Amino acid sequence: MRSGDMKGRAKKQRNLFLRNAVLVFLIICLFLTYLANDFKTELSEWTRFENETLLREETDASLGNVEYLDLRMGHSRVLKNKNSKALDGTSNFNISSITRKLPNAIIIGVKKCGTRALLEYLRLHPNIKAAGPEPHFFDRYYHMGLEWYRQKMPRSGVDQLTIEKTPRYFVTEVVPERIYNMSKTIKLILVVRNPVTRALSDFTQAVSKGEYNSSVTFQSRAIRRDGAINIKWSAVNIGLYAYHLKRWLDIFPLESIHVVDGENLIRNPVQELNVVQNFLGIDIQIPAEIIYMNATKGFPCILQQQKTPPFRCFRSSKGRQHSYADKKTLTLLRNFYEPYNIDFYRMIKRQFFW
Ligand code: A3P
């Protein structure tokens, strides 16, 4: 072979090698850009949690066209939503092949009972990934479809459960059936506390958001002019746990719903969390030693190693001093809730002492 031919061939081979190297380089660049974008989304989700906006909640739950004439048992009905099936796109999904998964568990309520604290504690578990903001899919954005919902979830591995919380689900009539259409085996978590304290907490939040002028008192909202309890006021209505739960139990078995004692979640978070981890079917791995009672805050906070400050408490909107309420109003409310509470204990086969 002539030396000219050999040189030509060597040049060709070099060019081919260079072209392939450039191609491989470009593919790696594309892949890294994809990863970086994805990481950015994750990061912004977390950063948004750190913002107060993420902790925004509804002050008044939309209670739909609920008839208030008799809120005791037997009057709840399941709304057969004609659109539910159309939006139930689960059959079109290959859930196993995607990294953002539809939730395995949802904290469905109750507003002002410790739902944020529970979600943030659960986030400490290595097998749990939790959505930061409340997605409000089943109550507000259902028309966006399941793919939209899935995109609101964090990325998770095959051995990780995905969880979200939206307390308004509990009081929104159409939600149980919609969730059931997505998953019949989903695990539902309900955090509750004394409904009188819950109502006051709700009112305090509304006042802090400037939703009432300074002349409005808890009493003036909770008690009607004729002396009856104002059950149309969402702060009162949301606390009718038995009434709302009935709708869920029309659709889901009690075994699908775990009730968390919101008061004990403050006193003894680790104990409550252990039961939740059991309910979720995951090993108990939330490190007990990193949740401690912070004397200044008066609530549990989370230790975070190698960070400044070395602990993280929930924001001032969580665990704040409640607005004033006179004793008489509180007693009236307690008496009002009593039969509903008893119904609730019977339904969940568990006793609270409210
Ligand atoms: P208060 O502010 O009335 O005390 P949610 O997250 O569902 O809105 O609930 C807010 C409630 O969570 C707070 O109501 C507070 O009682 C309770 N909570 C439970 N654990 C908490 C914690 N570690 N830090 C602050 N609040 C906590």
Side-chain angles (χ1 to χ4, degrees), residues 19-221:
R19 218 181 309 151
N20 285 344
V22 169
L23 207 68
V24 170
F25 178 72
L26 282 176
I27 290 171
I28 290 173
C29 283
L30 276 173
F31 181 64
L32 287 177
T33 316
Y34 165 77
L35 280 186
N37 277 341
D38 225 37
F39 178 66
K40 232 164 67 190
T41 316
E42 286 274 284
L43 202 68
S44 72
E45 268 170 20
W46 176 250
T47 318
R48 269 189 293 160
F49 161 68
E50 289 299 314
N51 290 336
E52 191 71 59
T53 47
L54 190 151
L55 299 175
R56 96 195 129 87
E57 280 117 21
E58 300 306 305
T59 303
D60 271 23
S62 156
L63 298 166
N65 296 321
V66 176
E67 285 299 327
Y68 292 102
L69 291 179
D70 182 359
L71 289 171
R72 295 296 304 281
M73 295 304 89
H75 284 250
S76 159
R77 75 209 138 81
V78 174
L79 253 200
K80 289 287 166 206
N81 185 339
K82 284 193 194 113
N83 296 327
S84 295
K85 286 280 180 283
L87 286 164
D88 174 21
T90 40
S91 55
N92 297 329
F93 275 96
N94 179 2
I95 292 172
S96 62
S97 71
I98 53 183
T99 51
R100 291 182 194 274
K101 296 195 291 265
L102 290 169
N104 309 88
I106 303 179
I107 300 173
I108 55 172
V110 180
K111 182 186 173 194
K112 301 317 298 170
C113 291
T115 55
R116 172 57 64 187
L118 178 64
L119 189 81
E120 295 312 314
Y121 292 145
L122 289 177
R123 206 192 276 286
L124 301 170
H125 195 292
N127 296 114
I128 289 183
K129 294 288 272 181
E134 295 174 6
H136 280 277
F137 173 63
F138 294 104
D139 60 327
R140 202 182 284 162
Y141 298 113
Y142 196 56
H143 59 280
M144 302 297 280
L146 279 177
E147 179 56 22
W148 179 91
Y149 185 39
R150 192 174 66 77
Q151 290 302 330
K152 298 284 164 207
M153 296 302 130
R155 282 157 54 84
S156 61
V158 279
D159 56 347
Q160 286 178 314
L161 300 179
T162 302
I163 297 190
E164 68 119 321
K165 78 123 180 161
T166 305
R168 204 160 106 165
Y169 291 162
F170 183 57
V171 295
T172 307
E173 214 171 333
V174 291
V175 170
E177 192 192 15
R178 288 177 174 180
I179 294 183
Y180 189 76
N181 285 339
M182 179 188 76
S183 166
K184 295 172 180 34
T185 54
I186 194 153
K187 299 195 179 208
L188 306 170
I189 300 174
L190 185 69
V191 193
V192 292
R193 80 198 278 194
N194 186 326
V196 180
T197 331
R198 199 218 69 80
L200 194 53
S201 172
D202 209 334
F203 176 72
T204 306
Q205 173 162 287
V207 170
S208 80
K209 285 181 170 177
E211 287 170 19
Y212 298 121
N213 65 43
S214 55
S215 64
V216 176
T217 61
F218 183 66
Q219 178 189 349
S220 69
R221 293 296 280 136

Side-chain angles (χ1 to χ4, degrees), residues 217-244:
T217 61
F218 183 66
Q219 178 189 349
S220 69
R221 293 296 280 136
I223 315 288
R224 293 191 333 206
R225 289 223 174 102
D226 63 7
I229 301 290
N230 181 8
I231 53 176
K232 285 190 179 177
W233 186 34
S234 70
V236 168
N237 188 287
I238 292 171
L240 300 172
Y241 300 148
Y243 169 69
H244 298 294

